């Protein structure tokens, strides 16, 4: 998964390309590059290994100028991060191409092209595309027709931007399986992997659809659909503002996003309920009718969003008494699953572009589900556009790769869903009002738990020299522990695993010693006494415990056992409250270790490849 930007204008487009790339860096940051056609109609290119900042430095040292260009920030799939594998890839300074996605049949195409005399200079799957276009151009096909022909050869997913020095004021873009948006300016058009890249340049956008090809010139845009017919696609005006990249005094986006959670939750709740009722129509016009028929729910997601789904399943079965199954999207899409009658298919995703989640949704399309619902943070993402029902979390754009405010707002959205479904299946008005009230307490309670920031920063020092950590929880708090472990490993590179506390003695207890910190999520619920026994088992083996407890939990700090009372009163909102200290712990451990908090190694924010 990578980020693409392109532009055609009547003025130099290099600054727009570079700023766009910077804003797309969340999609990948192991190498970057851009190419322009200069005033002598020559192709000029700069590529670096590393982040966009390095590309900008290189550009400052030897600036390029051009009115037509493409740029790319890479997350390596085929071929390691290096200059030779960085995009744009070229064919003999004649063609330049950027690509986001994966070409699955690249081996076969490469062999065919080599047998025709083509040379390859990189290890990427992408290079076959530029060579294949050149091959088509050699047989007297025009530029646009060559791209259509090559699209037919490609298996897999792609968003492409292509330049041809024989047509200096023209950029051709195409998509299948990877997102691409056109930005509309005055005497200029842009193309990018998402609107965020182009917000400093324009607020007007067209979302390309599957199989679309855009033929872009400074004063003319023509869009063809997959059948090569010219089509009109609607223009959307974005309400997003440009200054969302401001860290507002925080050292990292992740910290800004952790502390923004009370606002993000308020925004997600706003307009979604009255004082005592959930507004079901917020899920879609016919949501009420669909929810009344729903007898079963299947939630499919990846990573953090999957953890949100796991917690929601506890709520759904307890409150709505509706069977709820949660599955990892990359597993779901490749297995046959038995679909029970009247099952609602729910996807959860921050980005709405996660390839596995999207593929799972697409495979659910004609599989016999009652309906599909997307819970997503990005309006007009592929997931929201392709689902029957949609509920947007209003977390605001999340830039840190580690998901924080997206997760807690997903839980808010899922709790609203649970109530909306439950009320179609017998939840009384009185109980609905009680649940809505619990939700409304959340922003203030999250603010309160954030006050433990300093204590958690101190606690983090004990973790910085450790290589492993265990996270324990029971019930829905096992999923909270899983999320805590994911955060820690993702940004601090400490190996962390979560276990159901009751499972410890069935194996993992063997790992416990003084070098293995054990973090326990200990809400004051019906499982607390059981959890306490599990913690004693750890203590007896010399393990050092870090316990996040509720008010009145009667767990006290002792030698080798540090208890942080987070002053929470147990209720359905507790999984959300207990997540916050774990986010802070991971953050501070990573800061102490000097890790790259917002852009952890090997990862990217939006995982648009399988
Ligand atoms: O955009 P999505 O919510 O679909 O992304 C799914 C995962 O890639 C994502 O949650 C990932 O696990 C986070 N970076 C973890 O913090």
């Amino acid at each position: 998964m990578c980020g693409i930007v392109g532009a055609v204008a009547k003025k130099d487009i290099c600054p727009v390309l570079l700023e766009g790339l910077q804003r797309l860096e969340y999609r990948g940051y192991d190498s970057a590059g851009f190419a322009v056609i200069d005033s002598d109609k020559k192709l000029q290119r700069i590529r670096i290994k590393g982040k966009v900042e390095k590309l900008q430095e290189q550009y400052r040292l030897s600036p390029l100028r051009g009115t037509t260009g493409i740029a790319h920030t890479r997350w390596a799939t085929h071929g390691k991060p290096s200059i030779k594998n960085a995009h744009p890839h070229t064919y003999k300074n004649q063609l330049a191409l950027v690509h986001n996605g994966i070409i699955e049949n690249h081996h076969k195409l490469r062999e065919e092209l080599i047998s025709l005399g083509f040379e390859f200079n990189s290890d990427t799957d992408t290079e076959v595309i530029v060579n294949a276009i050149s091959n088509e151009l050699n047989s007297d096909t025009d530029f646009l027709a060559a791209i259509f022909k090559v699209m037919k050869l490609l298996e897999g997913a792609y968003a492409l931007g292509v330049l041809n020095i024989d047509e200096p004021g023209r950029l051709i873009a195409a998509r299948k399986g990877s997102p691409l948006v056109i930005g509309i300016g005055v005497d200029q058009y842009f193309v990018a992997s998402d609107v965020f890249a182009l917000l400093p340049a324009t607020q007007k956008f067209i979302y390309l659809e599957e199989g679309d090809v855009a033929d872009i010139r400074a004063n003319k845009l023509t869009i063809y659909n997959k059948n090569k017919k010219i089509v009109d696609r609607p223009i959307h005006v974005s309400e997003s503002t440009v200054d969302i990249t401001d860290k507002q005094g925080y050292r990292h986006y992740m910290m800004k996003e952790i502390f923004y959670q009370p606002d993000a939750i308020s925004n997600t709740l706003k307009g979604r309920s009255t004082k005592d009722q959930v507004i079901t129509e917020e899920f879609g016009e016919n949501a009420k009718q669909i929810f009344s028929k729903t007898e079963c729910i299947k939630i499919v997601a990846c990573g953090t969003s999957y953890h949100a789904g796991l917690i929601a399943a506890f709520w759904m079965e307890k409150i709505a008494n509706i069977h709820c199954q949660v599955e990892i999207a990359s597993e779901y899409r490749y297995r046959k699953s038995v679909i029970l009658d009247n099952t609602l298919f729910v996807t959860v995703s921050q980005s709405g572009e996660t390839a596995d989640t999207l593929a799972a949704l697409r495979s659910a399309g004609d599989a016999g589900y009652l309906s599909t619902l997307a819970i997503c943070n990005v309006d007009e993402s592929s997931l929201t556009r392709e689902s029957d029902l949609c509920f947007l979390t209003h977390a605001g754009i999340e830039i840190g790769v580690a998901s924080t405010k997206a997760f807690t707002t997903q839980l808010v959205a899922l709790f609203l869903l649970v109530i909306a479904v439950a009320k179609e299946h017998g939840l009384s008005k009185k109980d609905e009002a009680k649940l809505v009230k619990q939700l409304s307490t959340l922003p203030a309670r999250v603010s309160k738990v954030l006050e433990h920031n300093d204590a958690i920063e101190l606690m983090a020092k004990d973790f910085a020299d450790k290589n492993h950590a265990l996270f324990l929880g029971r019930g829905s708090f096992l999923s909270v522990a899983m999320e805590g472990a994911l955060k820690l490993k993702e940004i601090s590179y400490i190996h962390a695993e979560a276990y159901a506390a009751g499972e410890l003695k069935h194996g993992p207890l063997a790992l416990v010693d003084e070098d293995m910190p054990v973090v326990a999520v200990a809400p004051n619920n019906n499982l607390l006494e059981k959890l306490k026994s599990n913690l004693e088992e750890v203590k007896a083996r010399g393990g050092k415990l870090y316990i996040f407890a509720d008010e009145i939990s009667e767990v006290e700090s002792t030698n080798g056992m540090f208890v942080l009372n987070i002053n929470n009163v147990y209720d359905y909102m507790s999984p959300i409250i207990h997540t916050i200290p774990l986010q802070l712990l991971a953050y501070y451990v990573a800061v102490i270790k000097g890790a790259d908090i917002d852009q952890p190694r090997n990862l990217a924010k939006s995982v648009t490849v399988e």
Side-chain angles (χ1 to χ4, degrees), residues 1 301-307 348-355 357-358 375-378 383 398 400-404 406-407 410 483 486-487 490-491 600 603-607:
M1 94 221 102
C302 300
T304 286
S305 302
Y306 167 69
H307 296 157
V348 185
S349 171
Q350 187 285 128
S351 61
E353 301 295 348
T354 300
T357 311
L358 204 50
I375 291 183
C376 188
N377 194 38
V378 181
L383 207 67
E398 192 178 64
V401 164
S403 203
T404 53
F407 177 67
Q410 283 169 348
E483 176 57 12
L486 176 61
K487 287 292 91 100
E490 183 177 25
I491 59 168
L603 299 180
K605 183 76 186 156
S606 185
V607 187

Side-chain angles (χ1 to χ4, degrees), residues 524-582:
N524 190 13
N525 62 7
N526 60 333
L527 291 170
L528 182 62
E529 288 311 314
K530 303 269 175 225
L531 180 71
K532 279 183 186 168
S533 312
N534 304 141
L535 300 183
E536 288 300 330
E537 292 157 13
V538 172
K539 222 171 113 190
R541 269 104 191 149
K544 196 160 181 200
L545 280 156
Y546 298 84
I547 301 173
F548 293 96
D550 276 356
E551 220 171 41
I552 339 176
S553 64
E554 289 164 18
V555 198
E556 301 281 324
S557 287
T558 57
N559 209 4
M561 184 155 113
F562 180 83
V563 181
L564 184 73
N565 185 327
I566 63 162
N567 308 107
N568 179 48
V569 176
Y570 180 77
D571 65 4
Y572 282 116
M573 297 300 103
S574 292
I576 301 176
I577 305 294
H578 271 273
T579 298
I580 313 290
L582 302 186

Side-chain angles (χ1 to χ4, degrees), residues 457-462 464 587-595 597:
E457 185 176 4
L458 272 180
M459 189 192 275
K461 293 193 173 124
D462 286 6
Y587 173 80
Y588 282 117
V589 175
V591 168
I592 295 168
K593 292 191 76 180
I597 308 283

Side-chain angles (χ1 to χ4, degrees), residues 34-45 64-69 90 92-96 163-169:
F34 73 111
V36 293
I37 301 180
D38 70 11
S39 50
D40 296 330
K41 298 186 181 150
K42 291 221 163 64
L43 199 59
Q44 303 289 351
R45 171 175 71 160
L64 304 181
R65 286 181 69 79
T67 55
T68 309
T90 55
K92 292 192 173 161
N93 281 330
Q94 165 80 35
L95 296 172
L163 303 182
N164 179 355
I165 54 158
D166 288 340
E167 312 218 24

